[in-house]
Amino acid sequence: NQIISLISETADQRGRAWIAEATFKADANGTVDVGKITPLSGSYTNADGMGLFWSATLNGLPTDSMKGGFSRRAQLAYTTTIKLQIEGATADSSQVVRRFLAEEVTTGTIKHNSLRGILHLPSNSSTKVAVIVLAGSDGGLTSANWRAALFASNGIPALALAWFDYADLPEGLIEVPLEYLHKAQLFLRKERGFERVALLGF
C-alpha cells in the first residue's frame, strides 16, 4: 500500500535524456501492474504498460521544448533505465534495451534482376506470408528498412524495397513502373516460397 514512483530515462542518438515518470499506490502485496493501474500522477493519465516510453519528453520538460526526436534506423538500439523510488529514495532500477531489429533476425541485401532492397527473415518462422515495405517520397531504403525490421522482429518476414533514389534505380519519383512491385511479389513467391505477399506503403 505504499506510494511509489517509476522514472524512465532514455538517451537518444545524440545522448539527450528523454524522461517520463508515474506515481502509483501499490496493492496489499506490494505489486504495481502499470498495464492495469491508473497513475496517481505523472507523464500520462491512464493505465498503460508502455506509458513510461511514449510519454517521455526531452529532459522531462513540457513537449513544446522538444526539438527533434529519436532517429529511426534498423541498426539502432535504445537503452531505457527505469528507477523505482519509494519516499523519494531510489530503491531499485532496471534497464530495458529496445531494438528495431531483433538479434535473431537474419538480414540480407537483395540484388535480383532489377530489384534492390533488404530482406529481413525471423528465425524459426514458419509463416508463408511476407510483407513488402515501401518508403514514401524520401525514396531509398532508410524509412522502409526500420519498418521492415520491426515486422521481422515480430515474426513476419519483410522486404524493404527501394524503388527510386537508391543505387542504380531512378533518382526521382518519375515514371516508376508498377510492374516493379509485381516483380518483387514474384521474387518473394517463387524465389523465397511465400504463398501470400502483403504491401505496406506510406
Side-chain angles (χ1 to χ4, degrees):
N1 298 312
Q2 285 183 306
I3 303 298
I4 65 100
S5 294
L6 295 174
I7 301 170
S8 68
E9 182 173 331
T10 308
D12 66 13
Q13 68 281 357
R14 289 183 257 177
R16 302 176 304 175
W18 292 73
I19 299 170
E21 62 180 306
T23 299
F24 303 91
K25 181 178 181 179
D27 66 18
N29 296 317
T31 301
V32 172
D33 185 337
V34 297
K36 296 179 180 179
I37 299 177
T38 300
L40 300 175
S41 63
S43 308
Y44 61 100
T45 56
N46 297 316
D48 190 330
M50 294 300 294
L52 288 170
F53 293 90
W54 64 257
S55 70
T57 58
L58 186 59
N59 295 317
L61 298 174
T63 55
D64 58 6
S65 68
M66 294 191 291
K67 298 187 184 306
F70 286 80
S71 180
R72 296 176 177 91
R73 300 288 184 272
Q75 70 275 16
L76 291 178
Y78 292 105
T79 300
T80 299
T81 300
I82 301 176
K83 295 179 182 179
L84 165 65
Q85 289 192 343
I86 301 175
E87 297 180 356
T90 299
D92 202 357
S93 66
S94 183
Q95 287 190 329
V96 177
V97 178
R98 304 186 73 206
R99 307 175 190 277
F100 289 96
L101 186 63
E103 293 176 335
E104 61 271 17
V105 172
T106 301
T107 296
T109 301
I110 298 300
K111 190 175 183 180
H112 179 79
N113 297 328
S114 61
L115 295 178
R116 302 291 180 264
I118 298 176
L119 181 62
H120 299 286
L121 298 173
S123 63
N124 302 321
S125 175
S126 60
T127 181
K128 292 297 182 181
V129 179
V131 179
I132 297 171
V133 182
L134 292 176
S137 58
D138 56 335
L141 280 175
T142 302
S143 60
N145 195 35
W146 68 262
R147 288 175 168 91
L150 286 176
F151 272 112
S153 296
N154 286 279
I156 303 170
L159 171 63
L161 184 65
W163 54 312
F164 72 97
D165 194 25
Y166 181 81
D168 54 354
L169 297 176
E171 290 185 8
L173 185 54
I174 301 171
E175 297 182 359
V176 176
L178 292 178
E179 291 80 3
Y180 183 70
L181 296 177
H182 184 57
K183 290 178 182 178
Q185 179 202 28
L186 291 178
F187 166 76
L188 290 172
R189 291 171 63 94
K190 293 186 175 181
E191 301 292 330
R192 297 292 178 151
F194 292 104
E195 295 174 2
R196 295 177 59 206
V197 178
L199 175 66
L200 172 68
F202 50 91

